Amino acid sequence: MDQGERNHVKDKDNNKSCRLNIIIHMSSTLVKTHWWRIRRCQRIIICSNRLINESKSQEGSEKQKSTKSIQQYALSRYMQFVKGYGKVLEKKFPTAMHVYRIFMVGIKDFYRDMKYYFKIHRKLSTPAKFKCLTRKEIELYHQMPKDMIRVAPMLILSTLPFANYIVFPLVYLFPRQLLCQHFWTLQQRTEFAMEGLRKRLYNYKPVFRCVQAQLDTLKGREEHEHWAYVLGLLGSGVHPKPEDIVKSIDLFRGDPYHLSYLYPGHVKVLLRIHSMHTGLRRRLRLAEQATILHEMDMAIIREGGISQLSQEDLRVACFLRGLNPVTMKTEDMIHWLTQWIFVSEAVDTTSLSLLLHCPILLGYNQPSNWILIH
């Protein structure tokens, strides 16, 4: 390339740079001159964008509100349908729905009492033991293990697939054998308690005969005459006073009526009048039963006495101690339990056998008991 061409290229580059500088200068001048207009346009654009966004959000919230209201309406209609369908089922299948409702409520009550039972079990590990428990807690501690054993097969079976088709008919036909008090109606509780007490009452006479059989072994002892008087009252159809029973308490601290001195046949029928099986650990289980009864009585005293018990509590206490309260007045139940508490206060760990014989000594000739077996 010669010198002339080179100069021509340089001139072109210079012209381009000059034009670019002129454009930049003009644009900067326009920007400086119309800056307030540009800022105003920017503000207008920002405001318009905000309005657009707000309108969109309002539309979205309105859509959400409308969606929620639709969902709430659909849910309310569905609940109304379910309630209405439940009423239809109750009308068409009243017995089945009644059993189902009792079963579901019973499971909740059973689970609640089971948790409470384990809490009570932990309390008994403290030095205070039964003294820190209320009467109802001791009753629950006494009854709950039996209920858990009785209900366990049905609860386990009901967890299997399609097992409810078998469980519900079975528990409906055999509620006393397969379920516990949590699943029973008030009427069933009374009926089943009476049936259980009736079985116990059939063993009252054998126990009384066992007690009478030991009377001859007391000849020559100072307790013989007074104890013969007490047994004579029972044989003639009346009951001895609680004071007369307590006077003979030494007979239950040793030979012949302490648990370790009782004959096997005597132990067997004594277990039956307290609704206990006649399997292993007979004497030990009888001692535990007597301890529980004694602690219940002491809890009643701590809580203000028999007069503080409700009508239902009085009935439960009488059934547990071997008396049929169904045909009795409230005053009669209170009087009988007061006599029982009097004897129980005199009992200690060495004379627990006396408390096990109190259903005979205080309830053998009760008219309400005779009604069940005659």
Side-chain angles (χ1 to χ4, degrees), residues 303-363:
E303 295 172 6
I306 300 295
S307 59
Q308 301 300 316
L309 299 180
S310 65
Q311 182 76 13
E312 182 62 26
D313 292 336
L314 287 172
R315 292 162 67 92
V316 171
C318 289
F319 272 126
L320 181 62
R321 289 160 178 80
L323 178 68
N324 175 26
V326 174
T327 59
M328 296 180 66
K329 298 179 181 179
T330 302
E331 296 79 10
D332 295 335
M333 287 189 285
I334 292 175
H335 176 69
W336 190 86
L337 288 171
T338 301
Q339 291 182 323
W340 179 288
I341 294 293
F342 181 86
V343 176
S344 184
E345 282 187 284
V347 170
D348 55 18
T349 55
T350 62
S351 56
L352 290 173
S353 180
L354 174 58
L355 208 57
L356 294 173
H357 288 83
C358 274
I360 307 300
L361 298 173
L362 294 174

Side-chain angles (χ1 to χ4, degrees), residues 28-124:
S28 63
T29 303
L30 287 170
V31 168
K32 289 179 182 180
T33 305
H34 302 284
W35 174 251
W36 66 274
R37 294 181 179 175
I38 294 171
R39 291 294 299 170
R40 189 175 179 182
C41 291
Q42 288 177 344
R43 289 174 183 171
I44 292 171
I45 292 170
I46 291 171
C47 290
S48 63
N49 289 334
R50 286 179 180 174
L51 291 172
I52 292 169
N53 291 331
E54 287 179 358
S55 63
K56 288 181 179 180
S57 64
Q58 288 178 356
E59 290 177 359
S61 62
E62 288 177 357
K63 288 181 180 179
Q64 290 177 353
K65 288 181 181 179
S66 62
T67 304
K68 287 182 179 180
S69 63
I70 292 171
Q71 291 176 349
Q72 291 176 354
Y73 176 76
L75 182 61
S76 64
R77 294 293 295 175
Y78 177 73
M79 294 301 294
Q80 290 176 2
F81 171 75
V82 171
K83 290 180 181 179
Y85 189 68
K87 293 179 180 179
V88 171
L89 289 177
E90 287 183 357
K91 289 181 180 179
K92 291 186 176 181
F93 312 102
T95 304
M97 291 298 295
H98 180 66
V99 172
Y100 175 77
R101 188 177 292 106
I102 290 176
F103 191 77
M104 297 308 297
V105 173
I107 287 176
K108 292 179 182 178
D109 293 342
F110 178 80
Y111 180 66
R112 179 200 61 206
D113 284 351
M114 188 173 63
K115 291 195 300 182
Y116 198 37
Y117 167 77
F118 289 114
K119 289 182 181 179
I120 294 170
H121 206 278
R122 288 193 295 270
K123 284 184 180 181
L124 289 175

Side-chain angles (χ1 to χ4, degrees), residues 255-302:
D255 188 24
Y257 299 122
H258 189 274
L259 285 175
S260 59
Y261 288 93
L262 298 179
Y263 288 105
H266 192 163
V267 172
K268 186 175 181 179
V269 290
L270 199 60
L271 283 164
R272 287 176 176 169
I273 71 169
H274 291 282
S275 297
M276 303 171 71
H277 66 83
T278 57
L280 300 175
R281 301 169 58 249
R282 294 181 176 184
R283 299 174 196 270
L284 181 59
R285 287 188 290 110
L286 279 172
E288 292 174 351
Q289 174 75 6
T291 301
I292 291 292
L293 288 172
H294 181 62
E295 293 298 339
M296 286 181 190
D297 298 335
M298 296 303 101
I300 290 174
I301 296 172
R302 288 196 301 268

Side-chain angles (χ1 to χ4, degrees), residues 71-298:
Q71 291 176 349
Q72 291 176 354
Y73 176 76
L75 182 61
S76 64
R77 294 293 295 175
Y78 177 73
M79 294 301 294
Q80 290 176 2
F81 171 75
V82 171
K83 290 180 181 179
Y85 189 68
K87 293 179 180 179
V88 171
L89 289 177
E90 287 183 357
K91 289 181 180 179
K92 291 186 176 181
F93 312 102
T95 304
M97 291 298 295
H98 180 66
V99 172
Y100 175 77
R101 188 177 292 106
I102 290 176
F103 191 77
M104 297 308 297
V105 173
I107 287 176
K108 292 179 182 178
D109 293 342
F110 178 80
Y111 180 66
R112 179 200 61 206
D113 284 351
M114 188 173 63
K115 291 195 300 182
Y116 198 37
Y117 167 77
F118 289 114
K119 289 182 181 179
I120 294 170
H121 206 278
R122 288 193 295 270
K123 284 184 180 181
L124 289 175
S125 62
T126 62
K129 293 188 177 181
F130 286 102
K131 293 181 180 179
C132 66
L133 300 179
T134 64
R135 173 188 55 83
K136 287 191 175 182
E137 288 176 337
I138 299 174
E139 289 178 355
L140 181 64
Y141 176 78
H142 171 66
Q143 184 63 33
M144 199 61 198
K146 301 175 186 178
D147 292 343
M148 288 191 290
I149 293 172
R150 180 180 293 179
V151 175
M154 286 298 101
L155 292 181
I156 294 172
L157 183 62
S158 63
T159 60
L160 301 176
F162 306 106
N164 288 332
Y165 296 105
I166 302 174
V167 171
F168 283 117
L170 285 177
V171 299
Y172 177 71
L173 294 174
F174 309 103
R176 183 174 180 270
Q177 292 77 13
L178 301 178
L179 297 176
C180 63
Q181 58 183 349
H182 300 86
F183 302 87
W184 297 338
T185 63
L186 294 177
Q187 182 180 357
Q188 285 177 327
R189 290 182 183 183
T190 302
E191 290 177 357
F192 297 158
M194 290 177 65
E195 290 179 17
L197 181 59
R198 184 181 291 110
K199 292 181 179 180
R200 295 164 60 186
L201 290 174
Y202 285 120
N203 295 280
Y204 276 29
K205 190 172 183 177
V207 172
F208 180 58
R209 296 299 182 209
C210 289
V211 173
Q212 278 184 321
Q214 297 297 320
L215 182 61
D216 292 338
T217 65
L218 297 176
K219 289 182 178 180
R221 295 172 58 174
E222 59 181 9
E223 299 96 341
H224 177 267
E225 184 177 354
H226 182 72
W227 189 241
Y229 167 72
V230 170
L231 296 183
L233 290 176
L234 286 172
S236 61
V238 295
H239 289 98
K241 296 179 181 179
E243 293 84 1
D244 293 331
I245 296 173
V246 171
K247 284 182 182 179
S248 301
I249 194 171
D250 289 336
L251 296 176
F252 296 86
R253 289 194 172 109
D255 188 24
Y257 299 122
H258 189 274
L259 285 175
S260 59
Y261 288 93
L262 298 179
Y263 288 105
H266 192 163
V267 172
K268 186 175 181 179
V269 290
L270 199 60
L271 283 164
R272 287 176 176 169
I273 71 169
H274 291 282
S275 297
M276 303 171 71
H277 66 83
T278 57
L280 300 175
R281 301 169 58 249
R282 294 181 176 184
R283 299 174 196 270
L284 181 59
R285 287 188 290 110
L286 279 172
E288 292 174 351
Q289 174 75 6
T291 301
I292 291 292
L293 288 172
H294 181 62
E295 293 298 339
M296 286 181 190
D297 298 335
M298 296 303 101

